[in-house]
Amino acid sequence: MNVDVNYKSTLRISSHIPFLKTRRQAAMATKESDPSGSGGISRQNSGVGGQWESDLTAVQHSLKFVKNLEEHYVCPTCKGVVLNPHQTSCGHISCYRCIQGLLENSPATTSACLLDRGLIRSDEEHERYTCPEVEIKCPNKCSQMIKRCMLEDHADQCPEVKTDCVYKKYGCSVRERRAQVKVHEETALNHHILLVLGSNTKLETQMEILQQEVLLRHKELQERSRQVSGLEEGVRPLAQLVSRCDNTLSAVQGSLEDQRDHISSVQLQLEELSSVFGPGVAREELGQIRASLDALRQQVSVTEGLKDHLGELKETYMRHSRLLSIHTAQLECNEEHFRELESTSYDGKLIWKLRDYRKKKEAGARGQGPCLSSVPFHTGRCGYKMAARAYLNGDGAGRDTHLSLYVVLMRGDFDPLLPWPFRQPVSLSVLDQSGTNNHLTMSFKPDPENTSFHRPGSAAANASAPTNVASGFQCFASHAQLETPKNAIYVRDDTLFVKVKVDTSGLEDL
């Protein structure tokens, strides 16, 4: 690690060193260290210390302080209070002469800080290119001197920065300096009104198309319902027939077992007759047995035929059952899609009505499905797909005490065309139903490093999951704040309203 010494630091020793024991001792220390009366210890340091630094070096280890000297004000090389302090890039403070000694007595590639062994080298590039505290001229030519660390914030206000008209999403293509855009927005009001009207007309046309699509899907849903009803009517007699065949087969199998037992008994009797009366009597009995066996074989043949027919009926029944299951699954999918088409929005806003608040909160307390999910909504017709999630009894740190609210990015049809990671600010609100608009609102700006805001299904998030991990607030509002507020009504008729709003500024329509 390379460590640069900042030879233009303007630290004052007096701002880092505790007061001396008495004013007299302080005056003596000042007089001894600075005979010229130019300020001594409290004067601003420079690249070269001069005579005052040499004088102070003599008493550096004998100075006494009211409070214990903090460790970071002790030079790691000479172990005395830091004189003419200079700070390395690793953050440690040393005497100027000690650092100079390290640089002069060691090669440039081996001079290292004694505390963390960070490389020390004499280089002013830190101040020139990277130091956040150095003031530089605004790169947008507004003539202001700005600290390097404030450039990004300054760009949001700089009148010389080029910016888009706020009506860009309605079709205005003006992009000029911020001051000129302000004038344009004030003078082109009629043009902007026409753009908004045109956009509204387009939205109305899209809504009409969507309504027609919803009606068409509704008709398809009704037709599928009729088909399923017809299949159920057709399967019902088959199921009854299979049940009767099962009963018949059970009876035949019982009869067959009885006949087998009877044959075994006859064979034993035949053997006994043959041994007692001779072969003539046995032959007569054998004829009767053969006739009985022929009748039994015929019954067995009929039984096997019934069994084959029963197998065919079972196959038919299973085929119809599978077909019915397919149609039922398709019907459920269509119903879900139909509900989504009816309630989805495309302007980055969602109003979510949560009914049965107390019942669902108690279910969450018992651990029975505590997470509630809203229908999806979008930031535009071809924008990001999102949903809201709520834990009425709380989640994580808010469990049993707070309402927890989150938003989650879902895999959408237009994800390959959208910019990632997701960067739009999001606000979550619980709406006041008293009419006084005392809404509870919390907002957050997505962290680009958090995989929750990367493209759903990507390797950075979870390639197999249709949604990302939800982000939001575990302790959004306490149960007491929701259920017994002073100047608002958040739960009325056992119903809670949650609003989600995504800041869509800067998003371009595809």
Side-chain angles (χ1 to χ4, degrees):
M1 175 179 70
N2 293 334
V3 180
D4 300 336
V5 179
N6 183 0
Y7 286 96
K8 291 188 178 181
S9 65
T10 57
L11 298 175
R12 292 178 180 269
I13 298 178
S14 62
S15 65
H16 297 291
I17 303 178
F19 292 111
L20 298 177
K21 278 191 172 181
T22 65
R23 293 184 178 178
R24 182 179 180 183
Q25 290 172 334
M28 292 177 62
T30 303
K31 184 176 180 181
E32 292 176 359
S33 61
D34 186 12
S36 65
S38 60
I41 295 177
S42 64
R43 72 181 236 176
Q44 193 171 6
N45 70 330
S46 61
V48 179
Q51 183 61 38
W52 67 270
E53 186 174 359
S54 299
D55 293 340
L56 275 179
T57 302
V59 297
Q60 182 179 14
H61 292 82
S62 61
L63 294 175
K64 297 182 179 180
F65 302 92
V66 175
K67 297 180 179 179
N68 292 332
L69 193 63
E70 296 183 18
E71 183 178 354
H72 57 277
Y73 298 133
V74 176
C75 177
T77 303
C78 66
K79 304 301 181 181
V81 62
V82 177
L83 298 180
N84 193 1
H86 279 64
Q87 188 175 33
T88 64
S89 295
C90 61
H92 298 123
I93 301 174
S94 298
C95 299
Y96 171 72
R97 290 194 174 190
C98 293
I99 292 181
Q100 281 293 96
L102 289 175
L103 293 173
E104 292 173 359
N105 297 328
S106 303
T109 57
T110 60
S111 301
C113 175
L114 297 179
L115 296 177
D116 61 5
R117 307 309 300 170
L119 183 64
I120 300 176
R121 57 186 175 86
S122 179
D123 192 349
E124 297 181 2
E125 291 184 356
H126 166 72
E127 179 177 324
R128 185 179 303 172
Y129 298 110
T130 63
C131 181
E133 297 299 322
V134 171
E135 290 189 349
I136 62 175
K137 185 177 290 186
C138 173
N140 299 307
K141 302 179 180 179
C142 72
S143 302
Q144 293 191 42
M145 297 299 292
I146 308 295
K147 287 186 177 182
R148 184 176 279 113
C149 63
M150 301 297 293
L151 281 179
E152 184 175 350
D153 293 337
H154 172 70
D156 294 336
Q157 305 295 329
C158 181
E160 297 297 326
V161 172
K162 286 190 175 183
T163 184
D164 294 319
C165 174
V166 296
Y167 291 92
K168 177 182 178 181
K169 62 182 179 179
Y170 296 107
C172 184
S173 60
V174 171
R175 180 179 175 82
E176 296 292 344
R177 293 184 301 110
R178 181 173 277 110
Q180 293 177 344
V181 169
K182 291 292 183 183
V183 175
H184 161 73
E185 291 173 355
E186 294 174 357
T187 57
L189 182 59
N190 292 337
H191 175 63
H192 292 155
I193 290 176
L194 292 176
L195 289 177
V196 172
L197 290 175
S199 177
N200 288 342
T201 302
K202 185 186 298 183
L203 287 175
E204 289 175 357
T205 303
Q206 293 175 348
M207 286 300 298
E208 290 177 357
I209 295 174
L210 180 60
Q211 288 175 353
Q212 293 175 359
E213 183 180 353
V214 168
L215 290 175
L216 180 60
R217 293 298 177 89
H218 186 61
K219 291 179 179 178
E220 292 179 356
L221 187 62
Q222 290 178 338
E223 180 62 27
R224 293 293 178 89
S225 297
R226 286 194 294 268
Q227 292 177 359
V228 170
S229 298
L231 288 172
E232 289 177 346
E233 292 295 331
V235 168
R236 190 175 294 112
L238 288 176
Q240 295 174 354
L241 179 60
V242 168
S243 178
R244 290 196 299 269
C245 288
D246 283 338
N247 294 334
T248 303
L249 181 60
S250 299
V252 171
Q253 288 177 341
S255 176
L256 183 60
E257 292 296 329
D258 293 340
Q259 294 294 337
R260 287 176 178 172
D261 294 339
H262 181 63
I263 291 174
S264 300
S265 176
V266 171
Q267 287 178 342
L268 290 175
Q269 293 177 4
L270 181 60
E271 292 175 357
E272 292 176 357
L273 289 172
S274 297
S275 61
V276 176
F277 299 102
V281 176
R283 192 177 295 110
E284 182 179 354
E285 291 291 335
L286 184 59
Q288 295 176 358
I289 291 172
R290 285 177 177 174
S292 177
L293 287 175
D294 290 339
L296 184 59
R297 288 193 185 98
Q298 187 175 2
Q299 291 181 4
V300 171
S301 178
V302 172
T303 301
E304 291 178 349
L306 290 174
K307 187 177 180 180
D308 294 340
H309 182 60
L310 180 61
E312 295 175 357
L313 288 177
K314 282 187 176 180
E315 291 181 0
T316 303
Y317 173 74
M318 295 300 295
R319 185 168 60 254
H320 283 283
S321 296
R322 288 193 296 269
L323 184 60
L324 180 61
S325 299
I326 293 173
H327 282 284
T328 301
Q330 183 64 40
L331 180 62
E332 292 176 353
C333 181
N334 289 341
E335 288 178 346
E336 181 179 358
H337 185 59
F338 179 69
R339 287 193 297 269
E340 182 176 333
L341 287 174
E342 282 186 323
S343 58
T344 192
S345 66
Y346 295 93
D347 58 357
K349 298 178 182 177
L350 170 70
I351 303 295
W352 184 15
K353 185 176 183 180
L354 294 170
R355 297 184 176 89
D356 300 326
Y357 168 79
R358 298 187 183 281
K359 179 179 178 181
K360 292 176 180 177
K361 175 187 170 185
E362 292 172 359
R366 295 192 300 269
Q368 299 174 353
C371 180
L372 304 176
S373 296
S374 72
V375 296
F377 67 101
H378 304 76
T379 60
R381 292 293 300 177
C382 304
Y384 299 96
K385 185 177 181 181
M386 311 174 71
R389 289 184 178 174
Y391 291 79
L392 299 185
N393 192 54
D395 176 44
R399 182 165 179 80
D400 297 327
T401 59
H402 286 73
L403 165 69
S404 302
L405 288 181
Y406 304 94
V407 292
V408 59
L409 283 169
M410 307 175 69
R411 188 179 298 171
D413 295 334
F414 302 97
D415 288 353
L417 306 179
L418 298 173
W420 297 99
F422 177 79
R423 298 176 183 269
Q424 306 305 123
V426 178
S427 64
L428 297 166
S429 303
V430 172
L431 301 183
D432 176 16
Q433 302 180 48
S434 68
T436 57
N437 294 330
N438 291 328
H439 308 314
L440 300 176
T441 301
M442 297 182 73
S443 304
F444 69 87
K445 187 174 182 180
D447 179 7
E449 301 298 325
N450 191 334
T451 56
S452 295
F453 303 107
H454 291 191
R455 178 180 171 184
S458 65
N462 189 335
S464 61
T467 64
N468 284 354
V469 176
S471 296
F473 306 97
Q474 291 182 346
C475 299
F476 182 85
S478 68
H479 292 155
Q481 188 178 9
L482 288 176
E483 298 168 6
T484 57
K486 295 182 179 179
N487 300 317
I489 298 176
Y490 300 114
V491 181
R492 170 174 278 175
D493 297 331
D494 207 25
T495 299
L496 189 76
F497 285 92
V498 173
K499 179 179 180 180
V500 182
K501 182 179 179 181
V502 179
D503 184 356
T504 59
S505 59
L507 290 179
E508 296 184 359
D509 293 335
L510 297 177

